[in-house]
Amino acid sequence: MTASGSSAARILIVDDDVDMGEILAEILTARGYEVRVARDGEEGILRMREELPDLLVLDVEMPRLDGPGVAYRMLIENAGMQLVPVVLVSGVVGLAGVAARVGTPYCIAKPAAIAPLMVLIERALAERIPPTREQPG
Amino acid sequence: MQPNDAENASPRALSLLRFAMMSTAGFVALVVLVTVVLIGSSSLFYGSTKEVVRDVRSQTIAGEVELSLLTYQRISNLRALTGEKSLDGARAPLVTAMRDLLRQAEAYVGSPAEKARVDEVARQLDTYLEERRRLEAAGLEAPELIRRTQPQLNATVEDLEALRELNAAQVRRAEAEAERWADVALAVGIGAGSVLVVGLLLGLVGIHRYVLGPLFELHGAIARFHTGDTGARVAVGGFREVSELERGYNRMADALAQQRQAQLTFLAGVAHDLRNPLSGLKLGIHALDDLPRSPDSRSRTRDRLDRQVDRLARMVDDLLDATRIEAGILELRPEEVDLCAIVEDMVALYEPTSPGHEVTGDTPAEPVIAFGDPLRIEQVVSNLLSNAIKFSPNGGPVAVSVRAENDHALLVVSDRGVGIARDDLPMIFQPFQRRRTELAPGAGLGLSVVRRIVVAHGGTIDVESQPGIGSTFRVRLPRAPTG
């Protein structure tokens, strides 16, 4: 009902918890988003290099590269990644502080219900600045 | 840490015991000095008093002798003038008295000069009496007799006067001596008194400043710590015993504060780790309603929910187990265990869980029998294995081997994972220590539990690790006696 037909918003989920990532992916797919899942920060960066998503759902504590690390890399890699809105979803204590450090207004504590998570994702998508893409064919 | 600076200064600090010993020694020395001076001066006083008394006696005797001599002369002259024979009866006792007095005077002699003078007086007296008797016997006329005896009388009287003068001089000298010693005794008394008062004052100030003050401060810090100020520490100073107390308190407070911090961190970690499966459950339950109702998707979701519940249950078990072991409640049911069998089982259990890792077991053909609790030893192998997998996120080999080594069984678990930074190595076996660079979820209790179990079996555990290359844990357990 939100993401309409032809141009479905693309969402990248970065979470080391496989089940969590897949359940969320299934839910988002059912709502018409185009979803990919990465198992940790490094893989998340790789997926973003392949194709920039419209939104990133990011966990905080992950092996190899954690959530704030991903956000920092997005900023310095610059290739449009710095404009991708980040929704932090984590069970870490002091999530608001982490979100402030990462520089995103969107965060929600685990365990999160679907409805508020959807509201947050839709708000982030609505408020984002669409990058002027010069994507190679 | 801040107490370290002060710690170096401490061995030079004066010990309270030593201070007490030194003060006591000083006090005793002072008392001995004062006593010696008092005894000395009182015996000197006694000596001079005796001298004065003796000299005064001698003086009196000389006076009495003089008086008797003059009386004798007058009576003799009267006898010569009147020819009254009865007067002879009055002369004889005077002679006896004078001789007695002179014998007494010899007993009071205080110096060789006085002795010579007394002897001289006695000689002069004898000469006078002899001369007088001789002249009287010669039957001289009275005026002639008086004239002829007068010079010898005068000489004797002069000697008696000299004796008196000598004694008077000796009295004056003894008085001066006594006065000088009185001055010395007074000076020593005042000096000792002042030293005592000043010493006492200094001692009191020292005790207040270096013992009581720090103790009050310590008391205050303990009270502050007790009411929640975990930063309450004391400056280290004062006597050695006191500063040891202060350092002890600071160390204890540091340890407590650190422990409190570690527990907070641990709780935060536990909360985080519990939230992950909870989150999966929550989303999954919503998804059951939300998703297209294909039986395939529903059963997949149900499987996931089931896994999350298992995960939660396992975490709660681990937590309880770890907490119990941490509290020191570790019951062992030891028996003869074949380590090879345990390792093979564990490798078989872990191999399929992570396709990215190549879990291999290397065991000898002969069983390696250890004496221990099979369930706990399984826990050791399982914790080390899951750690090895957890900390090699890029996959790679995880090797477990068992070997008999003298009277020990050696279990080695190695990985090619992220390794452990040198700074973190001393802490990894401590409870509640989740490394800052933590890469994988976990309560931070696994390795501390492993160490407790190994130690409870009488074994040892050590680790070798290089960041970026991998870690190797070596566990040595005692072999069964039959081995």
Side-chain angles (χ1 to χ4, degrees):
Chain A
M1 43 191 159
T2 40
S4 51
S6 57
S7 60
R10 284 155 307 176
I11 297 180
L12 176 62
I13 300 169
V14 184
D15 197 322
D16 59 325
D17 188 331
V18 184
D19 282 331
M20 167 76 196
E22 281 177 6
I23 293 171
L24 189 57
E26 227 168 289
I27 291 168
L28 291 176
T29 311
R31 287 171 184 245
Y33 295 105
E34 198 182 295
V35 185
R36 286 177 303 158
V37 181
R39 300 265 306 262
D40 60 53
E42 289 287 357
E43 196 186 330
I45 294 289
L46 286 180
R47 297 280 162 275
M48 273 190 277
R49 281 194 199 130
E50 286 165 16
E51 188 191 5
L52 272 181
D54 296 315
L55 181 125
L56 186 67
V57 174
L58 187 61
D59 190 11
V60 173
E61 292 204 340
M62 286 180 296
R64 294 213 286 181
L65 187 63
D66 64 3
V70 171
Y72 179 68
R73 285 270 287 278
M74 285 162 71
L75 210 67
I76 54 172
E77 292 227 353
N78 202 14
M81 286 187 203
Q82 77 280 10
L83 293 174
V84 175
V86 175
V87 177
L88 279 184
V89 183
S90 169
V92 76
V93 177
L95 181 61
V98 179
R101 261 204 341 270
V102 165
T104 176
Y106 317 112
C107 68
I108 187 162
K110 281 184 188 174
I114 295 183
L117 181 59
M118 283 305 146
V119 169
L120 202 63
I121 287 175
E122 279 159 22
R123 210 182 91 209
L125 282 172
E127 287 170 356
R128 83 192 186 100
I129 307 155
T132 46
R133 269 185 230 140
E134 65 270 18
Q135 190 96 330
Chain B
M1 263 187 276
Q2 108 221 34
N4 270 355
D5 310 341
E7 224 156 301
N8 301 332
S10 76
R12 269 175 272 133
L14 182 63
S15 132
L16 187 59
L17 187 68
R18 200 145 159 214
F19 173 75
M21 273 162 57
M22 275 160 55
S23 324
T24 311
F27 183 71
V28 167
L30 198 67
V31 167
V32 167
L33 176 75
V34 169
T35 310
V36 164
V37 169
L38 280 182
I39 289 174
S41 59
S42 76
S43 80
L44 282 165
F45 277 135
Y46 177 65
S48 27
T49 311
K50 240 168 79 178
E51 209 173 308
V52 167
V53 168
R54 199 178 53 211
D55 292 339
V56 168
R57 282 266 171 79
S58 297
Q59 228 176 327
T60 318
I61 287 170
E64 277 172 21
V65 171
E66 195 180 333
L67 196 66
S68 303
L69 185 60
L70 291 175
T71 311
Y72 178 86
Q73 169 78 353
R74 261 199 302 282
I75 291 174
S76 299
N77 289 351
L78 200 62
R79 158 87 171 65
L81 287 171
T82 58
E84 186 62 56
K85 281 197 183 341
S86 65
L87 285 170
D88 285 344
R91 285 203 298 175
L94 280 173
V95 172
T96 319
M98 282 190 291
R99 293 244 158 84
D100 275 355
L101 282 167
L102 282 176
R103 261 198 304 283
Q104 273 179 43
E106 270 179 51
Y108 294 126
V109 158
S111 65
E114 194 184 345
K115 166 81 174 132
R117 188 60 72 189
V118 170
D119 289 348
E120 177 68 13
V121 167
R123 204 176 50 75
Q124 295 279 14
L125 181 66
D126 285 346
T127 312
Y128 166 73
L129 290 174
E130 181 57 32
E131 204 175 292
R132 175 107 204 171
R133 200 162 40 80
R134 194 168 45 79
L135 291 174
E136 277 177 18
L140 283 180
E141 283 297 308
E144 181 63 12
L145 186 71
I146 293 166
R147 197 184 54 77
R148 297 268 297 267
T149 54
Q150 195 61 44
Q152 183 56 35
L153 178 75
N154 288 345
T156 311
V157 168
E158 263 171 38
D159 271 355
L160 280 167
E161 287 290 330
L163 180 61
R164 283 173 68 175
E165 186 48 48
L166 181 70
N167 278 311
Q170 278 177 359
V171 166
R172 281 196 298 277
R173 212 172 42 240
E175 266 173 2
E177 185 94 331
E179 211 166 303
R180 219 177 67 224
W181 281 110
D183 286 350
V184 169
L186 188 69
V188 168
I190 290 175
S194 330
V195 166
L196 206 63
V197 167
V198 169
L200 264 176
L201 278 177
L202 282 179
L204 278 179
V205 168
I207 295 268
H208 189 265
R209 186 157 169 193
Y210 297 114
V211 180
L212 292 180
L215 283 184
F216 288 149
E217 204 193 322
L218 193 60
H219 181 259
I222 290 172
R224 285 208 309 281
F225 195 92
H226 190 65
T227 52
D229 176 9
T230 51
R233 300 286 185 281
V234 287
V236 175
F239 286 111
R240 197 185 314 153
E241 289 86 346
V242 176
S243 37
E244 267 161 22
L245 208 60
E246 290 162 333
R247 260 198 307 283
Y249 164 75
N250 282 347
R251 270 199 291 267
M252 192 193 69
D254 282 345
L256 278 177
Q258 207 183 345
Q259 205 173 330
R260 194 179 284 194
Q261 191 53 48
Q263 273 172 6
L264 284 179
T265 315
F266 166 67
L267 274 179
V270 168
H272 172 258
D273 293 347
L274 288 175
R275 276 173 182 166
N276 267 333
L278 280 177
S279 173
L281 276 175
K282 186 141 191 162
L283 282 182
I285 289 165
H286 282 281
L288 278 180
D289 297 337
D290 213 52
L291 292 177
R293 295 175 189 272
S294 83
D296 184 36
S297 131
R298 287 180 75 85
S299 96
R300 234 187 5 233
T301 307
R302 223 198 297 281
D303 284 351
R304 282 188 189 124
L305 289 179
D306 202 34
R307 272 205 297 276
Q308 301 305 315
V309 173
D310 284 350
R311 235 173 107 186
L312 273 177
R314 208 166 50 240
M315 279 174 73
V316 171
D317 284 350
D318 281 356
L319 198 60
L320 203 61
D321 205 24
T323 315
R324 273 175 140 157
I325 289 179
E326 261 320 298
I329 312 164
L330 177 59
E331 266 179 45
L332 293 181
R333 292 198 186 79
E335 56 188 73
E336 289 184 3
V337 203
D338 180 10
L339 286 183
C340 300
I342 289 183
V343 165
E344 278 156 18
D345 285 355
M346 285 294 135
V347 168
L349 192 71
Y350 273 93
E351 214 182 351
T353 61
S354 177
H357 294 88
E358 191 193 326
V359 183
T360 55
D362 174 16
T363 52
E366 295 280 297
V368 177
I369 308 290
F371 194 67
D373 186 328
L375 285 178
R376 291 302 182 186
I377 293 178
E378 260 179 29
Q379 201 178 353
V380 167
V381 180
S382 153
N383 274 0
L384 289 177
L385 256 176
S386 67
N387 253 10
I389 292 170
K390 204 156 76 178
F391 288 104
S392 37
N394 296 326
V398 172
V400 193
S401 72
V402 174
R403 224 171 53 220
E405 195 183 56
N406 300 326
D407 53 345
H408 282 87
L410 176 68
L411 171 78
V412 182
V413 179
S414 59
D415 64 60
R416 304 259 178 86
V418 294
I420 304 159
R422 183 176 288 271
D423 290 347
D424 288 335
L425 272 179
M427 300 193 309
I428 58 166
F429 293 115
Q430 298 292 316
F432 307 133
Q433 294 289 349
R434 277 164 65 93
R435 280 177 271 158
R436 278 219 63 76
T437 51
E438 191 80 57
L439 294 168
L445 279 169
L447 282 176
S448 90
V449 167
V450 164
R451 193 183 64 91
R452 293 268 168 144
I453 294 173
V454 169
V455 169
H457 277 86
T460 58
I461 182 165
D462 57 67
V463 61
E464 220 173 82
S465 184
Q466 266 185 298
I469 291 178
S471 309
T472 302
F473 286 84
R474 286 191 183 80
V475 174
R476 287 183 175 81
L477 291 170
R479 284 170 75 190
T482 51

